[in-house]
């Protein structure tokens, strides 16, 4: 099995915020999970640098655009690491390899007869980097950016999107899971069914971008340039190897709803035109909102992911972001809720479970995990692996973490119910105590394997505390694989107390 996952490539007109980190960390969870299942994975993220808005910011700062993007791209390169994401390649659309491939790709579309020249006059929203119809505006403004679009008239090259209406409808009807969740699929399908207009594939009068191969006076429209990254990266990420053979079309795109139309309508049409297969799946998640407002550069209520990670660590941020909001829906988050989940769920539910269990093994069994399966009343975790797998196949990150957390809570309840400290008082209960301690150790091990994709920093520490090999292969999510060990010591807190919740603000 092959699992290639992409995030959007982010605009470099400003620095990253928690909303971008959200997509990247969610993608990492999926990729790591598929890696645990032994699949051949590839994880791509990067930056979208040829936008007009990027060019304008550079101009405002009096910088050459390339100098500007080189500087700010460094900030974006840090995002994956900040959220604990293990990427395979970071693409920048100013890479030579990308630019070369974009030219080749649009040339193929041109040669296939899907491009014609026309003069266009329309309202362009620089925030969206897209032309807008009157009926998409509210009081003459783009509702997304709250700005009045600019009237632009220029000679452009047009892509015959209208030709792809029928092929796209057929695709949507044949592949019900092409776009998920279903309500997003319906949204995309009805947009297509409503009729597709050709769109401008080039821009005139802007020196910043990839030159159109047959007309050096024009640059490729930034959205076309950007979408092609998902393919171009494969041609030069590994020097000397064309990864397209290995990873295309096994690609899944993870995006938020703001860019649905580009990915679910334009991109498959462009691919069909250029003679490529369409992606496996496009999953569209919602917006993370802070205090009921979308977190966005233009609105100003931005949280730098680095601040949160500095205070709580990347695992806690990953946990909070996926657990707090049903993945796929919009949802509101607060910094207080991060603090609360850190203390109550990570610190108490999980952290204390590990501390108590290791402390009891140290105290009552001198650090030895007895191999004694079959404790009465212990939660059965036989189905956990399958449940997590099914949820993650549907990109239901929240459902998966909820199922794991149910297991964590069931283990805590088992500690309370079985009262090992009472059993330890009477030698007659020695065998039962062995079974209880084994059930706890094995349950925690299973949970650690299941949680690994979500908490990649913490889970090795858990296995280490239990003296277990660092084996996160998905087959080890099966209960009963805990090995005997002699040297378990009381584990230090996995999630040490963090004093000031306001520190993250
Ligand atoms: N450059 C384009 C994408 C081109 S992809 C071929 C772009 N860039 S962006 O910087 O605006 O990033 C948009 C994406 O960032 C969203 O689709 C989403 O993945 C992520 N998010 C940005 N803000 C977000 C939230 N507040 N909540 C959730 N995701 C957010 O569009």
């Amino acid at each position: 099995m092959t699992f290639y996952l992409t995030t959007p490539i982010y605009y470099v007109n400003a620095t990253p915020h928690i909303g971008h980190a959200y997509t990247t960390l969610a993608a990492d969870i999926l990729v790591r999970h598929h890696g645990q299942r032994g699949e051949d994975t590839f994880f791509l993220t990067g930056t979208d640098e040829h936008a007009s808005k990027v060019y304008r910011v550079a101009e405002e700062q009096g910088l050459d655009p390339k100098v500007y993007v080189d500087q700010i791209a460094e900030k974006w390169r840090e995002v994956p690491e900040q959220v604990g994401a293990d990427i395979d390649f970071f693409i920048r659309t100013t890479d030579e390899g990308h630019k070369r491939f974009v030219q080749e790709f649009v040339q193929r579309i041109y040669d296939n007869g899907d491009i014609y020249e026309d003069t266009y006059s329309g309202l362009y929203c620089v925030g969206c980097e897209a032309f807008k119809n009157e009926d998409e505006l509210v009081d003459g403004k783009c509702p997304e950016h709250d700005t009045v679009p600019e009237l632009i008239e220029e000679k452009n090259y047009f892509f015959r999107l209208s030709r792809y209406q029928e092929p796209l409808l057929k695709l949507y009807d044949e592949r019900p899971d092409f776009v998920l969740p279903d309500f997003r699929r319906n949204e995309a399908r009805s947009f297509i069914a409503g009729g597709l207009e050709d769109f401008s594939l080039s821009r005139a009068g802007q020196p910043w971008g990839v030159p159109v191969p047959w007309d050096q006076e024009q640059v490729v429209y930034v959205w076309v340039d950007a979408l092609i990254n998902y393919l171009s990266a494969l041609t030069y990420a590994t020097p000397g190897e064309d990864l397209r053979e290995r990873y295309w079309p096994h690609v899944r795109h993870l995006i938020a709803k703001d860019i649905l139309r580009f990915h679910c309508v334009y991109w498959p049409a462009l691919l069909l035109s250029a003679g490529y297969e369409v992606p496996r799946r496009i999953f569209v998640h919602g917006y993370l909102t802070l205090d009921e407002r979308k977190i966005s550069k233009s609105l100003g209520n931005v949280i730098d992911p680095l601040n949160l990670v500095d205070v709580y660590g990347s695992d806690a941020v990953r946990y909070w972001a996926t657990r707090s909001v049903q993945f796929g829906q919009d949802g509101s988050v607060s910094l207080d809720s991060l603090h609360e989940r850190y203390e109550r769920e990570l610190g108490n539910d999980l952290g204390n479970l590990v501390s108590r269990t290791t402390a009891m093994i140290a105290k009552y069994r001198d650090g030895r995990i007895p191999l004694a399966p079959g404790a009465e009343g212990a939660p059965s975790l036989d189905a956990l692996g399958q449940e997590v797998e099914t949820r993650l196949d549907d990109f239901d990150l929240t459902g998966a973490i909820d199922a794991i957390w149910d297991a964590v809570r069931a283990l805590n309840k088992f500690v309370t119910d079985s009262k090992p400290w009472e059993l330890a008082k009477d030698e007659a209960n020695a065998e039962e105590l062995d079974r209880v301690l084994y059930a706890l150790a094995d349950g925690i091990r299973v949970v650690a394997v299941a949680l690994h994709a979500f908490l990649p920093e913490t889970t090795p520490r858990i296995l280490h505390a239990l003296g277990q090999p660092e084996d996160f292969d998905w087959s080890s999510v099966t209960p009963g694989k805990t090995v005997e060990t002699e040297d378990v010591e009381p584990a230090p807190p996995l999630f040490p107390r963090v004093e000031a919740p306001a520190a993250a603000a």
Side-chain angles (χ1 to χ4, degrees):
M1 293 278 273
T2 307
F3 189 84
Y4 167 28
L5 190 68
T6 69
T7 73
I9 48 171
Y10 306 110
Y11 287 132
V12 291
N13 58 316
T15 48
H17 60 64
I18 190 71
H20 307 109
Y22 180 58
T23 311
T24 302
L25 69 86
D28 184 64
I29 291 168
L30 291 162
V31 176
R32 282 186 194 260
H33 171 73
H34 283 271
Q36 283 182 278
R37 279 156 68 171
E39 295 175 22
D40 179 11
T41 63
F42 194 80
F43 181 9
L44 179 71
T45 187
T47 45
D48 185 356
E49 305 190 357
H50 289 133
S52 304
K53 55 183 167 188
V54 172
Y55 182 66
R56 286 186 192 182
V57 173
E59 265 191 329
E60 276 164 29
Q61 298 190 2
L63 290 173
D64 173 79
K66 186 66 169 68
V67 172
Y68 167 78
V69 295
D70 282 350
Q71 279 173 10
I72 196 165
E74 289 312 308
K75 277 262 162 224
W76 287 90
R77 242 184 229 288
E78 290 167 12
V79 172
E81 205 184 311
Q82 284 169 13
V83 298
D86 186 11
I87 62 168
D88 290 295
F89 190 61
F90 189 95
I91 186 168
R92 297 181 52 191
T93 54
T94 48
D95 291 345
E96 287 308 319
H98 172 74
K99 293 195 283 187
R100 202 179 319 118
F101 187 84
V102 167
Q103 293 196 322
E104 204 183 295
F105 188 96
V106 296
Q107 185 70 50
R108 282 169 76 136
I109 296 180
Y110 186 81
D111 295 343
N112 290 343
D114 279 338
I115 287 177
Y116 62 94
E117 197 181 327
D118 204 354
T119 300
Y120 191 74
S121 147
L123 295 166
Y124 193 82
C125 170
V126 179
C128 295
E129 293 290 357
F131 284 103
K132 296 272 157 178
N133 291 328
E134 292 282 355
D135 62 4
E136 291 174 288
L137 304 177
V138 178
D139 297 332
K141 289 180 177 175
C142 164
E144 181 89 5
H145 294 94
D146 206 27
T147 49
V148 180
E150 302 163 21
L151 183 65
I152 289 180
E153 183 173 310
E154 58 187 37
K155 184 190 86 167
N156 283 158
Y157 294 97
F158 277 71
F159 173 63
R160 290 189 203 278
L161 182 65
S162 52
R163 265 194 188 166
Y164 290 90
Q165 179 165 359
E166 284 314 312
L168 287 179
L169 288 175
K170 189 160 166 274
L171 166 72
Y172 273 72
D173 293 341
E174 282 172 5
R175 303 238 316 252
D177 63 351
F178 178 57
V179 173
L180 287 179
D182 286 341
F183 72 105
R184 295 294 176 205
R185 171 184 181 274
N186 296 339
E187 193 180 320
R189 197 190 177 286
S190 32
F191 179 79
I192 300 166
L196 294 180
E197 285 173 27
D198 297 346
F199 71 87
S200 158
L201 174 138
S202 70
R203 293 293 312 277
Q206 183 185 294
W208 182 236
V210 180
V212 169
W214 60 88
D215 181 347
Q216 301 287 317
E217 296 297 300
Q218 305 242 348
V219 294
V220 175
Y221 171 42
V222 64
W223 263 105
V224 174
D225 169 350
L227 287 163
I228 295 171
N229 92 88
Y230 300 132
L231 259 175
S232 72
L234 299 179
T235 64
Y236 68 97
T238 307
E241 198 182 340
D242 188 344
L243 297 172
R244 278 179 296 178
E245 288 153 31
R246 197 156 141 202
Y247 296 113
W248 201 269
H250 312 286
V251 59
R252 284 83 168 165
H253 301 307
L254 192 60
I255 60 167
K257 61 182 186 179
D258 51 341
I259 52 179
L260 173 138
R261 204 176 287 177
F262 296 103
H263 284 79
C264 302
V265 184
Y266 291 21
W267 178 227
L270 288 165
L271 284 166
L272 290 173
S273 173
Y276 282 96
E277 284 189 61
V278 300
R280 267 291 131 74
R281 176 177 293 175
I282 302 162
F283 188 91
V284 187
H285 67 68
Y287 280 147
L288 211 57
T289 58
L290 185 67
D291 299 329
E292 304 300 322
R293 297 177 71 199
K294 182 187 155 205
I295 300 164
S296 110
K297 293 178 268 216
S298 27
L299 292 174
N301 59 338
V302 166
I303 309 180
D304 185 333
L306 190 58
N307 292 340
L308 297 183
V309 167
D310 279 351
V311 178
Y312 295 99
S314 56
D315 275 8
V317 171
R318 293 160 72 100
Y319 175 80
W320 161 74
T322 45
R323 174 109 155 133
S324 305
V325 174
Q326 173 58 47
F327 196 64
Q329 307 287 329
D330 290 335
S332 168
V333 287
S334 70
L335 298 185
D336 288 345
S337 77
L338 170 58
H339 191 77
E340 199 184 309
R341 284 190 192 273
Y342 181 84
E343 284 198 332
R344 192 162 43 84
E345 301 186 351
L346 293 173
N348 290 347
D349 293 349
L350 180 62
N352 281 350
L353 176 67
V354 174
S355 308
R356 287 164 93 187
T357 302
T358 51
M360 290 190 293
I361 293 169
K363 187 169 170 193
Y364 305 139
R365 290 293 175 266
D366 213 13
R368 187 178 66 87
I369 297 178
L371 280 192
E376 219 171 284
S380 165
L381 303 186
D382 289 337
L384 182 64
Q386 186 55 54
E387 163 120 37
V388 169
E389 194 174 321
T390 308
R391 299 280 188 171
L392 292 183
D393 279 345
D394 292 339
F395 286 39
D396 179 6
L397 298 172
T398 312
I401 190 78
D402 287 352
I404 300 170
W405 226 255
D406 286 347
V408 170
R409 292 199 166 147
L411 288 166
N412 276 312
K413 183 167 183 304
F414 178 60
V415 176
T416 315
D417 292 350
S418 60
K419 298 190 183 57
W421 49 91
E422 294 288 334
L423 297 175
K425 286 181 184 159
D426 187 347
E427 200 40 43
N429 297 323
E431 284 184 11
E432 192 180 345
L433 181 58
D434 278 352
R435 287 194 290 269
V436 167
L437 294 176
Y438 178 81
L440 288 172
D442 193 50
I444 293 171
R445 186 195 57 78
V446 167
V447 161
V449 176
L451 266 180
H452 181 60
F454 289 87
L455 307 182
E457 258 180 23
T458 308
T459 45
R461 291 198 276 138
I462 297 178
L463 291 187
H464 182 75
L466 290 169
Q468 299 300 303
E470 210 181 286
D471 176 11
F472 292 109
D473 188 277
W474 199 238
S475 61
S476 54
V477 80
T478 310
K481 295 194 167 183
T482 294
V483 297
E484 199 162 13
T485 177
E486 296 284 329
D487 45 15
V488 175
E489 289 173 9
L494 292 176
F495 301 95
R497 282 186 80 79
V498 166
E499 283 313 325

